[in-house]
Amino acid sequence: MHQIAIIGAGGHARECLETARAMGLEVVCLFDDDRMLWDTEVLGAPVRTGGLDAVSDLDRNTALVIGVGDNARRRDIAGRFEGRSFATLVHPFAWVSPSAELAEGAVVHPGAVVQAEARIGRHAILNTSASASHGVVIGDFAHIAVGARLAGIVTVGQGALVGAGVAARPGARIGDWATVGAGAAVIGDVADGVTAYGEGRARPR
Ligand SMILES: CC(C)(COP(=O)(O)OP(=O)(O)OC[C@H]1O[C@@H](n2cnc3c(N)ncnc32)[C@H](O)[C@@H]1OP(=O)(O)O)[C@@H](O)C(=O)NCCC(=O)NCCS
């Protein structure tokens, strides 16, 4: 059985752990800088003492998964551990088109759908029941939250957070490090770094 280790021991780490196990992977341990968590267990897997510094003691054949929901923090951790191998996770109850591309470290949770010729960036998250339709491009470190729906050829920039239940119309562009609030409709573009939300149409704030 292939082995992985997870960086982070919070909510998203738990989801990554269960997605990994559903794929038949063994989660050997988790790493977290919160000392309160050292030597505890998360869903039966040990949290190592020593925090992220202890990753250097891990067998290099064990792939890592960054189980941290914060996009900027995921980017920083990926930079810190450049050169290590990262697993790409796809839950068996997700569907990924054979013509789609998932980059290293991307995570696709249960119920998610990745359609024809979509491209999902490094360490991006497609969360529970999120969907990316044909030709969608999702940048590195972006997070498509639970139940968000991206219609055909939507582009989502690096590090963007597309909130729970968002609906983005075909061809919409969500910029780098932008945030779209939960439940909003994206019917135009959201510029880089902008937070847009509201009932109905997402408007910049
Ligand atoms: C949009 C968002 C970023 C705003 O966060 P914030 O700046 O902390 O905003 P606040 O919670 O202080 O709310 C400010 C106002 O906007 C309203 N508001 C907040 N989020 C909203 C949303 N998604 N839709 C409509 N109104 C919203 C609040 O009710 C509040 O209104 P008020 O001033 O009349 O009381 C955040 O609410 C959000 O939706 N984040 C996405 C979360 C998510 O889906 N995570 C992924 C989980 S898998």
Side-chain angles (χ1 to χ4, degrees):
M1 186 192 288
H2 291 297
Q3 296 184 325
I4 65 154
I6 296 177
I7 297 178
H12 187 61
R14 283 164 166 72
E15 294 190 350
C16 290
L17 184 151
E18 294 208 321
T19 288
R21 283 183 179 157
M23 296 168 68
L25 301 172
E26 182 191 356
V27 178
V28 290
C29 63
L30 300 90
F31 299 92
D32 198 293
D33 281 337
D34 181 352
R35 289 167 177 268
M36 298 293 287
L37 298 174
W38 296 0
D39 238 0
T40 64
E41 286 195 351
V42 169
L43 298 170
V47 182
R48 286 266 186 102
T49 296
L52 271 59
D53 288 343
V55 172
S56 54
D57 300 333
L58 187 73
D59 179 348
R60 291 192 75 87
N61 292 322
T62 303
L64 299 171
V65 170
I66 308 177
V68 171
D70 182 84
N71 295 347
R73 180 122 176 79
R74 250 187 353 278
R75 173 199 57 193
D76 294 348
I77 292 170
R80 176 170 170 181
F81 296 109
E82 213 175 304
R84 300 276 320 208
S85 76
F86 289 95
T88 299
L89 301 183
V90 177
H91 194 282
F93 291 163
W95 192 76
V96 177
S97 158
S99 62
E101 287 173 31
L102 298 186
E104 183 179 58
V107 174
V108 181
H109 283 304
V113 174
V114 181
Q115 274 286 11
E117 296 177 331
R119 284 187 283 134
I120 314 296
R122 292 168 52 238
H123 304 287
I125 301 167
L126 215 70
N127 218 320
T128 311
S129 296
S131 58
S133 199
H134 67 89
V136 162
V137 177
I138 296 172
D140 298 345
F141 314 111
H143 178 180
I144 314 303
V146 295
R149 290 148 292 155
L150 307 177
I153 61 169
V154 164
T155 61
V156 177
Q158 173 172 329
L161 168 61
V162 178
V166 165
R169 86 168 178 192
R173 180 184 176 279
I174 297 166
D176 292 346
W177 302 99
T179 298
V180 182
V186 180
I187 59 175
D189 290 353
V190 177
D192 293 351
V194 162
T195 295
Y197 61 97
E199 285 163 35
R201 182 177 182 176
R203 296 182 189 280
R205 310 278 166 162

